[in-house]
Amino acid sequence: MSGAATSRPAGEVVLAARNIAKSYNGVKALKGVNFDIHRGQVTTLFGENGAGKSTLMKILSGVVQPTSGEIVLDGQPIVFSSSTDARNHGISIIHQELSLAPNLSVRDNIFMGREITGPTGVNYAEEERQVRRLLQELEEEIDPLTPVEELRLGQQQIVEIARALSVDSRILIMDEPTSALSATEVEVLFSVIRDLTAKGVSIVYISHHLEEALQITDHAVVLRDGNMTAYAPRADIDLEWIVRNMVGENYDLGNPPAGHDFGPVMLSVRDLTVPDPAGGGYNVVDRMSLDVRAGEIVCIYGLMGAGRTELLETVAGKLSATSGEIVLEGKEISHLAIGERIARGLVLVPEDRQRYGLVQTMSVGQNLSLASIMEFTRGVFTSIKLERALVQKSIRDVTVKTDGPDVPIGSLSGGNQQKVVIGKMLATDPKVILLDEPSRGIDIGAKAEVFRILAHHAAAGQAVVFTTSEVNECLSIAHRIIIMRRGRISAEFTSDITKEKIMAASGEAVAA
């Protein structure tokens, strides 16, 4: 990636929040926030999950109405009646959680609700032409007619970005736009952002990837507990400034848990081969072998497409291998269904928590108890008392910040939703815990909490395997770092390795 952005003089304020407050059922999400968006510049908004970032952006983009305060556009107060109203005024938002229709094509998702019409109806050919142009700008080879459900998560994120760019907005709000992107895709997006700002488009950028965000920002604003706690131009900020203002101290992500010996091999993968699920005609996992011992934390690092996700999904039973063995505690389990593997003590926390980790229509408690339902079911009856006890224990164990087990899962911040997914799987008392990008879309404080939970369970004798696309996370709690490249292990390190060697082994270019 390119070097850090240099600060430019503050441009004209095109959109401003003035004393914005927002309450939900008496809980104050925003407490009189003032926030300026400058023409042709990138303003980055930092803050922990639950700090109020997404709430503020939803207000500025017309998704929700403030409890008090006003929005000023081009110097004039304005009230957006809806997101469509805001979009008509040139304001678009890319939401943190994908809002695509999986059964529709890429083309239909991008033009949903604003189809291009002609004398004979919808002009699908023109829509397809524009989609191809947008995807070409984003350097992504996706057929516009491909159903979204067939795309990997990073490609779906690109479609969300393309949809926002297609509106030709003058203010573009990006809420965690790179959470599922590879390093190469992030660099392409940053190039697009620079082109947009050069044309006078204003960008609001929200990210938990702090070092990455510093490369693109012109101004930084920090929210904490619904208050704006700091503001500074790029020239006056660094990583320490951001963390200090976000969480009050310089958090780290922990160290490999020590003081215990590794036990026997809990998970053994032998010569595993997995074909491309999208039918690309190649193997995403190619004759790979790996052993993980009780009490050990293994990190798997690799670029997008290296086969990390497919490896974990095959071990968990979601995908099928064409050859090889998966052995849990000395017993072959390749023939077992997902539920049977969970019962044997093997669980997976998926990368996409919204689609595969949570049931959006259920409460926090129902989500937490879902994988353990047989523990409190007797015949056709369930024990409410036993379920409540399990849920309360899970909330304590993974420190979920919630008003109670009965609140909707959607009311939680991204970090707390992720802890619910982890808590749900830990409630099954597993022997092997697989986690695919467990820190995706969560802030530095929540990351530290998640990693402390994993370190605790490893110290208790459970085997932990997690994947990541962030080099810093490799050097946190892992005893061993596995580098995957093109479906195979290209290197293996201990935690005293350098970032540069990790990146080089993965095939990622290392800045000089």
Side-chain angles (χ1 to χ4, degrees):
M1 294 185 188
S2 59
T6 56
S7 292
R8 295 174 286 176
E12 171 195 356
V13 175
V14 292
L15 184 66
R18 292 289 174 258
N19 299 312
I20 291 291
K22 180 65 178 178
S23 297
Y24 293 99
N25 299 321
V27 178
K28 294 182 178 179
L30 295 173
K31 306 168 185 176
V33 171
N34 292 288
F35 182 78
D36 293 339
I37 300 174
H38 301 269
R39 187 181 306 280
Q41 300 205 342
V42 178
T43 300
T44 301
L45 186 57
F46 295 108
E48 293 189 273
N49 287 109
K53 305 183 304 297
S54 294
T55 299
L56 177 59
M57 293 306 102
K58 287 176 181 178
I59 289 171
L60 293 179
S61 59
V63 177
V64 299
Q65 299 295 319
T67 304
S68 62
E70 67 176 4
I71 300 171
V72 180
L73 179 65
D74 296 326
Q76 298 297 319
I78 191 169
V79 175
F80 297 130
S81 60
S82 65
S83 57
T84 301
D85 187 16
R87 189 175 66 195
N88 292 338
H89 283 86
I91 303 166
S92 293
I93 183 170
I94 301 169
H95 293 283
Q96 177 181 357
E97 305 298 351
L98 302 180
S99 57
L100 302 171
N103 59 318
L104 297 182
S105 69
V106 171
R107 178 199 65 196
D108 292 344
N109 267 279
I110 288 177
F111 283 98
M112 188 188 307
R114 50 186 192 85
E115 291 77 6
I116 299 174
T117 58
T120 58
V122 177
N123 189 339
Y124 293 112
E126 177 59 20
E127 288 184 355
E128 185 175 337
R129 186 192 68 78
Q130 292 191 26
V131 171
R132 289 189 186 279
R133 177 183 58 79
L134 284 167
L135 295 175
Q136 187 174 22
E137 288 179 9
L138 293 168
E139 298 183 21
E140 192 70 39
E141 295 183 2
I142 302 174
D143 188 330
L145 301 184
T146 303
V148 162
E149 61 190 356
E150 295 181 8
L151 303 180
R152 59 176 173 79
L153 189 59
Q155 290 176 314
Q156 292 182 29
Q157 192 93 53
I158 291 290
V159 173
E160 281 274 19
I161 293 167
R163 181 165 66 180
L165 294 177
S166 72
V167 181
D168 198 23
S169 303
R170 59 185 185 127
I171 299 170
L172 183 56
I173 299 168
M174 298 183 167
D175 192 354
E176 289 289 344
T178 66
S179 60
L181 302 187
S182 67
T184 302
E185 289 168 333
V186 170
E187 188 54 55
V188 172
L189 176 61
F190 281 6
S191 177
V192 170
I193 288 174
R194 294 184 186 102
D195 288 343
L196 290 171
T197 54
K199 296 173 184 176
V201 176
S202 305
I203 306 289
V204 179
Y205 191 89
I206 301 174
S207 180
H208 293 312
H209 299 277
L210 308 185
E211 292 173 307
E212 172 190 285
L214 284 175
Q215 298 182 49
I216 199 68
T217 192
D218 294 302
H219 313 276
V221 173
V222 180
L223 278 181
R224 188 176 181 184
D225 296 326
N227 294 295
M228 194 179 91
T229 59
Y231 164 83
R234 174 64 183 90
D236 296 341
I237 66 174
D238 57 17
L239 192 61
E240 183 180 350
W241 180 92
I242 299 168
V243 175
R244 184 175 67 251
N245 284 290
M246 275 179 59
V247 297
E249 59 180 297
N250 196 348
Y251 271 50
D252 63 49
L253 296 178
N255 298 296
H260 69 280
D261 296 327
F262 297 153
V265 172
M266 296 297 291
L267 175 67
S268 183
V269 175
R270 286 279 167 263
D271 296 319
L272 196 69
T273 298
V274 182
D276 176 23
Y282 64 96
N283 294 324
V284 287
V285 178
D286 189 8
R287 291 170 292 171
M288 183 169 165
S289 297
L290 174 68
D291 287 341
V292 186
R293 303 175 75 87
E296 184 181 22
I297 301 178
V298 175
C299 171
I300 300 178
Y301 177 84
L303 302 180
M304 196 70 72
R308 298 170 298 146
T309 293
E310 291 82 2
L311 171 66
L312 263 57
E313 289 186 345
T314 303
V315 172
K318 185 173 183 288
L319 297 179
S320 298
T322 53
S323 63
E325 291 184 327
I326 303 167
V327 179
L328 180 67
E329 285 194 295
K331 297 181 180 179
E332 227 285 338
I333 62 168
S334 300
H335 61 287
L336 298 181
I338 294 175
E340 294 173 306
R341 298 186 198 201
I342 292 174
R344 293 281 186 94
L346 174 69
V347 297
L348 169 65
V349 175
E351 177 186 20
D352 189 345
R353 61 176 173 264
Q354 295 297 323
R355 291 178 66 188
Y356 302 120
L358 299 169
V359 179
Q360 298 298 326
T361 56
M362 287 185 172
S363 68
V364 170
Q366 289 169 326
N367 271 281
L368 278 167
S369 65
L370 190 59
S372 308
I373 191 168
M374 297 310 298
E375 289 189 23
F376 45 85
T377 299
R378 302 293 182 267
V380 296
F381 299 101
T382 59
S383 169
I384 301 300
K385 183 179 179 181
L386 291 176
E387 181 181 12
R388 282 280 176 175
L390 181 143
V391 167
Q392 293 292 357
K393 183 178 184 299
S394 294
I395 289 174
R396 290 194 304 271
D397 288 348
V398 296
T399 61
V400 179
K401 296 177 183 177
T402 175
D403 290 334
D406 298 323
V407 302
I409 189 68
S411 68
L412 301 189
S413 65
N416 282 294
Q417 288 186 21
Q418 181 71 335
K419 285 191 280 187
V420 168
V421 180
I422 293 172
K424 176 179 73 173
M425 304 319 300
L426 293 180
T428 67
D429 193 22
K431 299 167 183 174
V432 177
I433 308 166
L434 310 177
L435 305 99
D436 194 4
E437 293 276 7
S439 69
R440 175 181 171 261
I442 65 176
D443 64 73
I444 188 169
K447 284 182 186 181
E449 289 182 8
V450 166
F451 283 178
R452 278 195 293 270
I453 291 167
L454 299 182
H456 170 76
H457 281 269
Q462 291 161 303
V464 177
V465 182
F466 73 94
T467 72
T468 184
S469 53
E470 292 191 46
V471 179
N472 286 339
E473 294 182 4
C474 293
L475 304 175
S476 56
I477 62 167
H479 296 107
R480 188 157 49 111
I481 301 165
I482 301 295
I483 311 300
M484 281 192 70
R485 186 176 182 182
R486 296 176 181 173
R488 296 186 177 185
I489 295 177
S490 62
E492 183 173 325
F493 303 113
T494 54
S495 60
D496 57 357
I497 195 64
T498 64
K499 295 181 184 179
E500 289 75 18
K501 288 186 178 180
I502 291 174
M503 295 169 71
S506 71
E508 188 172 357
V510 181

